Amino acid sequence: MATPKIVVLGAGYAGLMTVVGLQKKLNYNEADVTLVNQNDYHYITTLLHEPAAGTQPADHARIAIRDIIDEKKVKFIQDQVTAIKLDQKEVHLANNEPLSYDYLVVGLGSAPETFGIRGLLENALFIRNINSVRMINQHIEYMFSKYHNEGQRQDLITIVVGGAGFTGIEFVGELIDRMPELCRKYDIPREKVRLINIEAAPTVLPGFDPELVDYAVKYFESNGVEFRLSTPIEECTEDGVILKGGEEIKAATVVWTGGVRGNKLVEESGLETMRGRVKVDEFLRAPGHPEVFVLGDSSLVFNKENDRPYPPTAQIATQQGQNCAKNLVAAIRGGQMEPFVFDLKGTVASLGRKEAIGIVGKSKLFGRKAAIMKRIIELRWLYLLGGIPMVLRKGRHLI
Amino acid sequence: MATPKIVVLGAGYAGLMTVVGLQKKLNYNEADVTLVNQNDYHYITTLLHEPAAGTQPADHARIAIRDIIDEKKVKFIQDQVTAIKLDQKEVHLANNEPLSYDYLVVGLGSAPETFGIRGLLENALFIRNINSVRMINQHIEYMFSKYHNEGQRQDLITIVVGGAGFTGIEFVGELIDRMPELCRKYDIPREKVRLINIEAAPTVLPGFDPELVDYAVKYFESNGVEFRLSTPIEECTEDGVILKGGEEIKAATVVWTGGVRGNKLVEESGLETMRGRVKVDEFLRAPGHPEVFVLGDSSLVFNKENDRPYPPTAQIATQQGQNCAKNLVAAIRGGQMEPFVFDLKGTVASLGRKEAIGIVGKSKLFGRKAAIMKRIIELRWLYLLGGIPMVLRKGRHLI
């Protein structure tokens, strides 16, 4: 009997947890495991708002894949996936021969959801990955550096953040921390800088605890952030944004955090998707394809309590990867698979280095306590990836 | 008899040396001395290539004027000069009442000389002042940060430096030092970056010692710099430069260092100028205006040995300021003025942190020795401005 071939696409939270689980549980030669990822590193999505604002170097938000995988058990291919051929059980790559599989794990992440806003893809910046956040930080600095060279134009030091969900709020919080240093560096009075957070919904962090939302809004407003709620953006131009009703805000920097959709490769594979996401079965498998597991931002898992899909988060992706590793081992060994059940441990949104809000278990947290909780969550991720050595190597700035 | 009013325009090398000389030599109330400068700091032009390349923070290349002047003896006005009215003996300012003077010292510096190259002012960057070099550094970083987001376009990591005179060479030397860190930061292989130095003359550093020029060229070429000599730039576009003959080099960053001319305010005052520079008399005074001293980049002083004008340098401006301070004191006290005689102490061009070439007295210097000499020259400038305390406060990174 041939050794079963497992191909894992994407080294995000879900893909890496799958691979780390497999290399722990499987014996040598029990399966051929191959991980495919575009970069030779994993990036920590939940920290990307920091390098985006320039408060931490980008290297703090990424980990070399070679430092995570056991190369005796997992083969790593750095390449871009160009197509998933479900019928042939093959994955096509940009620069390598096609890979055939017996089991496929799809953890290809997300793409920005623009909700049809004109000009967004062309003119806005997105907190997506290491490359994009390095560019956001440099974009902001470049605009600030132009200020005294180009007639002190207000738009150069106006930053619009579209979306007041988790990413938007965490990014604005980081910008607050960053401004004093940035203003000093470019001789710009802090009070001249405008930070504007625009959200179509009537509240910041829709669905989150109102008391904590109130805490965040007060903290932001006391630091000069302007909120525009119940205000959809109609168009993003080279000069800024045009709001519903026609008002224009001139801003040299527009960062869109308004939402994500699944990777288009999943749609193109022929699987049925909703906004690029596949409604998976209880074992996280694609309908009609028991050999294909779809995880993370590409998957749609429903909360049975309210029949609504769980929002795509690092937390759910991590648990999906852990579940998938177990179930792949069961499948190979002919054991019983376990249905996926999401265990929501809590939610913390950072508002900068020293401020955060969150719910852990049944407790509401805010301020310094919540900020420490946020870091504990990040340290836990490092621990899951590589135990104490990884925590020590990559987590020092979190402690 | 009314106290004579001395107005000094510009806190560059010449203006500051004048003011520092006056505040040393004059008694309290012997004259009303006013210094006018656009910024509340002096910038060290001979160090600007460092923050332009990002090898040193911009703050290393500037000194607060309040730390240099004795406010009991010198009044400082931070403002922009808008016009010099020679007939009324008045200086007009953007945000203050006009200043009347008995003696005027014009040290307003320079503007880029474009030699009629089309598109240069619109599309190139210039090593002019703190604002412009901060922008150059951020421009380069921004282009590098775009590289992996915009299809790895070669022009994003191609830097053209127009002009291989002192500023051009010192900037290219600094870029060599900067590249390893910058490439690491943005995951760009060093060998993909192009540094191209374009010069219309047939040699680098025209007029400089050929043996030292050869040393510099070899050092640069061994670090991947491409020279295009005897190659005038015909046009600078949004996409790069077009050379004489039609060849286009696509480059997202074009820095022009090809020369300077005098500040246009001097021309506009009605004084006769050549390329914005006034041919001054032996006491550095404007023809027909014995009460107006013109120093630094705005002045034209001829070398009697070859009847050619001395190039505008920090060294000559410094000596002019020292001479002017003495002569103003003599004028006020009814003493004898001293003609200005330039004493060329030497010339050193840095090629980065650890490399330089230079002639001091009759000795040729290169490599580490020359690099140390360059720093000694910078330390001497700090010493002239504020003695040992200034050397200790601002010169630490030079030692």
Side-chain angles (χ1 to χ4, degrees), chain A residues 25 184 220 251 281 303 318 329 333 360 375:
Chain A
K25 294 177 216 301
R184 212 178 309 121
F220 278 14
D281 72 11
N303 182 345
T318 304
V329 173
R333 294 183 182 158
V360 178
R375 287 193 226 152

Side-chain angles (χ1 to χ4, degrees), chain A residues 13-15 17-18 105-107 277-278 280-281 283-284 293-302 310 312-327 340-342:
Chain A
Y13 292 85
M17 270 302 95
T18 306
V105 179
V106 180
R277 300 169 73 194
V278 177
V280 290
D281 72 11
F283 304 114
L284 306 174
F293 294 78
V294 183
L295 314 181
D297 293 352
S298 298
S299 74
L300 206 55
V301 177
F302 279 76
Y310 287 114
T313 62
Q315 188 176 181
I316 196 168
T318 304
Q319 292 182 22
Q320 287 178 326
Q322 291 170 324
N323 173 270
C324 179
K326 271 189 232 161
N327 286 343
F340 174 72
V341 181
F342 179 45

Side-chain angles (χ1 to χ4, degrees), chain B residues 173-302:
Chain B
E174 224 52 42
L175 286 174
I176 289 172
D177 280 7
R178 174 78 165 128
M179 280 311 127
E181 186 204 342
L182 208 57
C183 289
R184 212 178 310 121
K185 187 167 171 188
Y186 297 106
D187 300 325
I188 296 167
R190 169 66 183 86
E191 65 276 11
K192 295 220 185 242
V193 174
R194 289 183 74 191
L195 302 181
I196 306 168
N197 192 187
I198 303 176
E199 168 62 50
T203 169
V204 161
L205 294 173
F208 206 61
D209 178 84
E211 193 190 345
L212 294 176
V213 167
D214 194 51
Y215 180 89
V217 168
K218 283 194 175 126
Y219 170 69
F220 279 14
E221 286 183 337
S222 73
N223 280 281
V225 175
E226 302 166 49
F227 285 105
R228 301 296 295 265
L229 304 176
S230 304
T231 307
I233 293 175
E234 200 132 83
E235 188 176 353
C236 183
T237 68
E238 284 185 5
D239 300 327
V241 290
I242 296 168
L243 307 178
K244 197 173 171 182
E247 186 193 341
E248 183 181 15
I249 297 178
K250 286 194 190 283
T253 304
V254 177
V255 179
W256 177 249
T257 68
V260 294
R261 47 175 289 124
N263 189 307
K264 70 173 171 19
L265 286 167
V266 179
E267 269 174 287
E268 291 168 0
S269 75
L271 289 174
E272 196 184 324
T273 62
M274 294 164 63
R275 278 208 189 127
R277 299 170 73 193
V278 177
K279 191 177 166 182
V280 291
D281 71 11
E282 58 178 344
F283 304 114
L284 306 174
R285 298 176 306 186
H289 288 277
E291 76 287 6
V292 178
F293 295 77
V294 183
L295 313 182
D297 294 352
S298 298
S299 74
L300 205 55
V301 176
F302 279 76

Side-chain angles (χ1 to χ4, degrees), chain A residues 8-79:
Chain A
V8 179
L9 304 182
Y13 292 85
L16 276 186
M17 270 302 95
T18 306
V19 163
V20 167
L22 288 175
Q23 71 187 10
K24 256 189 214 150
K25 294 177 216 301
L26 288 177
N27 299 317
Y28 293 101
N29 305 321
E30 208 177 343
D32 281 345
V33 182
T34 303
L35 172 66
V36 180
N37 196 57
Q38 195 175 342
N39 306 304
D40 60 0
Y41 55 83
H42 159 73
Y43 54 84
I44 305 171
T45 314
T46 55
L47 289 177
L48 285 179
H49 54 282
E50 296 180 352
T55 50
Q56 293 286 339
D59 282 345
H60 281 181
R62 64 172 168 179
I63 303 170
I65 287 171
R66 302 264 173 222
D67 290 343
I68 297 164
I69 60 170
D70 175 350
E71 292 183 73
K72 289 187 226 93
K73 289 191 173 173
V74 177
K75 185 180 171 196
F76 172 58
I77 297 177
Q78 182 181 352
D79 205 343

Side-chain angles (χ1 to χ4, degrees), chain A residues 70 109 112 115 153 185 220 225 239 255 273 289 300 372 398:
Chain A
D70 175 350
F115 301 105
R153 269 165 42 215
K185 187 167 170 188
F220 278 14
V225 174
D239 300 328
V255 178
T273 62
H289 288 276
L300 206 55
I372 290 167
L398 293 165

